[in-house]
Amino acid sequence: MPEMPEVEALRAFLTDHLVGREIVRVLPVAISVLKTYDPPLTALEGRTVTAVARHGKFLDIDAGGSHLVTHLARAGWLQWKDRLPDGVPRPGKGPLALRVALATGEGFDLTEAGTQKRLAVYVTEDPLTVPGIARLGPDPLAADFDEERLAGLLAGERRQIKGALRDQSLIAGIGNAYSDEILHAARMSPFKIASNLTKEEVHGLHVALLATLTEAVDRSRGVAAGRLKAEKKSGLRVHGRTGEPCPVCGDTIREVSFADSSLQYCPTCQTGGKPLADRRMSRLLK
């Protein structure tokens, strides 16, 4: 799933490639991707892109006051085309969901792999009317996201820190992968209760959060849209690396599986050498 660093890189890429250019066609291929009907997609046509913004994991293309907002969800992606194919794309079983064509002949496709279609597109005059944006918590790379603010957010959270970090209404933009990376850098168990963190632990988590996300954004800066997924994977230390040695201590990275996701962690770095209970695996072994 694209998370804040990748979406921020896409924002920068699209700022360079879209701002000042005219949108001539917006072609829906998978109708289910469109979550609004008023204004229509045609409201964007003939308008010039004036800015590209990011709200958490949402991309916001501003075409003179009409906004094309998209959330790429788990399996969505943006594919830039220096020259779009001729003709109108036909609906089908392929991954193409929406095409945006510019007067220059360039443009981009929004695609979504797999069978679970969660990619979402909105056309609106106010991005805050998009429900997912309206409920977003603070951006962790904002200037005012200091240690005191993080402590305040976690103070009443009686859930595990892994889940708290992934909650978009608490902190915007962090998903499954970077929450694993942040907790590994902070040397903290993903099962630790958020409100039980000491002042020193909050400090360590804040440092790890800023460092991990800043490094990921810096690493992605200037990378072409088509290479961002590979760049993200290459920079991850624990997420998606079950069975590999921890790059810090050499212990074997372990996994805890859930119904629709999993987390990875290092026992030596994060849990005092003790493996975390994997209830799903325990049931399979019975």
Side-chain angles (χ1 to χ4, degrees):
M1 177 185 291
E3 299 179 36
M4 186 266 279
E6 293 77 50
V7 178
E8 174 61 22
L10 284 174
R11 183 207 61 77
F13 177 88
L14 291 177
T15 296
D16 292 340
H17 289 74
L18 288 182
V19 172
R21 292 172 171 83
E22 180 188 348
I23 296 173
V24 293
R25 294 290 299 276
V26 183
L27 302 167
V29 180
I31 300 300
S32 61
V33 75
L34 192 60
K35 307 304 179 185
T36 55
Y37 63 90
D38 185 24
L41 282 172
T42 53
L44 298 161
E45 297 176 355
R47 290 177 173 265
T48 298
V49 177
T50 51
V52 183
R54 176 184 61 81
H55 313 279
K57 300 179 191 177
F58 288 82
L59 271 173
D60 172 8
I61 298 169
D62 183 353
S66 289
H67 296 255
L68 178 68
V69 177
T70 183
H71 189 285
L72 296 171
R74 175 170 291 184
W77 197 243
L78 185 149
Q79 298 184 356
W80 178 260
K81 308 285 186 180
D82 289 330
R83 182 73 189 180
L84 286 172
D86 294 329
V88 177
R90 295 182 178 180
K93 296 182 179 180
L96 181 59
L98 186 91
R99 174 167 290 170
V100 175
L102 304 178
T104 59
E106 303 165 294
F108 64 85
D109 289 341
L110 293 179
T111 62
E112 185 171 26
T115 58
Q116 293 185 344
K117 301 303 182 182
R118 298 178 181 174
L119 176 68
V121 173
Y122 308 81
V123 180
T124 178
E125 295 179 357
D126 180 4
L128 287 178
T129 62
V130 176
I133 294 178
R135 70 179 183 87
L136 286 176
D139 192 293
L141 292 186
D144 61 350
F145 193 86
D146 55 17
E147 188 175 321
E148 183 178 355
R149 188 165 194 189
L150 177 60
L153 291 171
L154 299 179
E157 289 294 331
R158 295 299 306 167
R159 53 182 162 168
Q160 295 169 346
I161 186 62
K162 167 76 175 180
L165 289 177
R166 293 185 63 188
D167 183 349
Q168 299 304 293
S169 65
L170 190 72
I171 302 172
I174 301 172
N176 197 30
Y178 286 109
S179 57
D180 282 351
E181 297 298 301
I182 291 166
L183 292 171
H184 178 256
R187 305 181 71 86
M188 184 177 294
S189 169
F191 284 4
K192 191 173 186 66
I193 300 302
S195 59
N196 290 349
L197 267 61
T198 65
K199 184 176 181 179
E200 291 73 20
E201 288 172 330
V202 171
H203 171 75
L205 181 62
H206 185 259
V207 170
L209 187 153
L210 292 187
T212 299
L213 295 179
T214 300
E215 179 183 325
V217 170
D218 290 344
R219 197 171 56 244
S220 299
R221 185 174 288 117
V223 176
R227 300 203 307 271
L228 280 171
K229 285 185 179 181
E231 176 58 39
K232 174 182 179 178
K233 185 176 181 180
S234 70
L236 298 176
R237 293 186 170 195
V238 292
H239 184 79
R241 300 195 180 278
T242 304
E244 298 181 22
C246 170
V248 174
C249 71
D251 194 2
T252 301
I253 295 170
R254 292 178 177 261
E255 177 177 309
V256 177
S257 299
F258 303 99
D260 60 352
S261 66
S262 63
L263 66 82
Q264 285 79 43
Y265 68 100
C266 170
T268 295
C269 291
Q270 296 175 254
T271 61
K274 298 178 180 180
L276 296 173
D278 188 344
R279 296 181 180 86
R280 185 181 181 194
M281 186 59 65
S282 297
R283 289 197 299 269
L284 291 174
L285 293 175
K286 287 182 179 179

